[in-house]
Amino acid sequence: GKIPYKDIYDHKGPFIFFIYQILHLISIPGTTSGVFLYDFICTAISFYFIYKTNSLFHDRSESLIILFLIYDLLINIFFRNTGVPELLVMVLYSYLIYWLFSKKYKEDNLKNLYFITILSGIVFWLKFNLIIVPGILFLFYLVQVIIKEKKYKNLLHCFIGFIIPTIIVFIYFI
């Protein structure tokens, strides 16, 4: 009956426990179907963006071959366990790579910006050390778009998107 991060501490960030709670609520009683659904959705979204990124440089058949090689590498070597926070991180990483190579960062699309920053905030509260890649890409975005194109308002949108998961975590501790 102890509450994570109030009574006990873990090496995982507190947001993973919110995700586990939601997965528990949507699971069929006595099963881990919610975790399976989480794994499936995160993997499918990640692979979609990996495929889209590959499609920028290769034809359809080559992109599919690369996707299956990545699947074999990721699933069989790195993600042997289920319900790991890294699966959600893979969604962010795969989208960020697509966003970068497709030059979507040049579009003035707040939906993309909020998706990235909210997911970055969640990743920060899932596993603190995995925020390095989005942090480096944010610095790229800061220089390329916000400073060079003088879109200072986007900095506020980045802050708002990142702060939303942070507010959820702080509400938990109140």
Side-chain angles (χ1 to χ4, degrees):
K2 295 189 180 206
I3 299 172
Y5 292 95
K6 282 188 176 180
D7 302 325
I8 58 172
Y9 295 94
D10 195 334
H11 67 284
K12 297 176 187 168
F15 215 90
I16 193 67
F17 297 105
F18 300 144
I19 292 172
Y20 287 160
Q21 183 62 37
I22 292 168
L23 297 176
H24 175 73
L25 292 173
I26 64 172
S27 290
I28 298 169
T31 69
T32 57
S33 56
V35 175
F36 172 77
L37 185 63
Y38 163 81
D39 290 348
F40 178 78
I41 290 172
C42 287
T43 303
I45 293 171
S46 296
F47 285 178
Y48 172 75
F49 288 118
I50 291 169
Y51 175 78
K52 296 259 302 173
T53 304
N54 285 327
S55 297
L56 296 172
F57 305 104
H58 303 285
D59 64 18
R60 185 172 187 251
S61 59
E62 289 173 336
S63 295
L64 287 172
I65 291 169
I66 292 169
L67 183 63
F68 287 118
L69 291 173
I70 290 172
Y71 172 82
D72 188 50
L73 178 70
L74 289 177
I75 300 302
N76 292 328
I77 296 174
F78 296 116
F79 298 133
R80 290 185 180 191
N81 299 324
T82 60
V84 293
E86 287 82 4
L87 281 173
L88 187 59
V89 174
M90 275 301 299
V91 171
L92 175 63
Y93 283 14
S94 61
Y95 184 73
L96 281 174
I97 291 168
Y98 171 69
W99 181 72
L100 183 67
F101 285 120
S102 67
K103 301 191 189 272
K104 294 253 185 228
Y105 63 88
K106 291 185 176 186
E107 296 174 7
D108 204 12
N109 187 342
L110 289 180
K111 183 176 72 172
N112 282 337
L113 195 58
Y114 275 110
F115 178 75
I116 290 168
T117 55
I118 288 171
L119 208 50
S120 294
I122 291 171
V123 166
F124 178 78
W125 291 106
L126 280 175
K127 269 190 131 171
F128 310 113
N129 59 338
L130 295 177
I131 199 66
I132 292 171
V133 171
I136 291 169
L137 289 176
F138 174 74
L139 292 176
F140 168 79
Y141 179 76
L142 184 70
V143 171
Q144 287 295 327
V145 176
I146 295 175
I147 294 174
K148 282 188 176 179
E149 296 181 22
K150 297 183 180 8
K151 294 184 178 181
Y152 302 113
K153 195 174 185 180
N154 286 4
L155 189 60
L156 176 66
H157 294 296
C158 290
F159 176 76
I160 291 169
F162 189 84
I163 205 74
I164 289 171
T166 303
I167 289 170
I168 293 169
V169 170
F170 285 151
I171 288 171
Y172 167 75
F173 286 114
I174 293 178

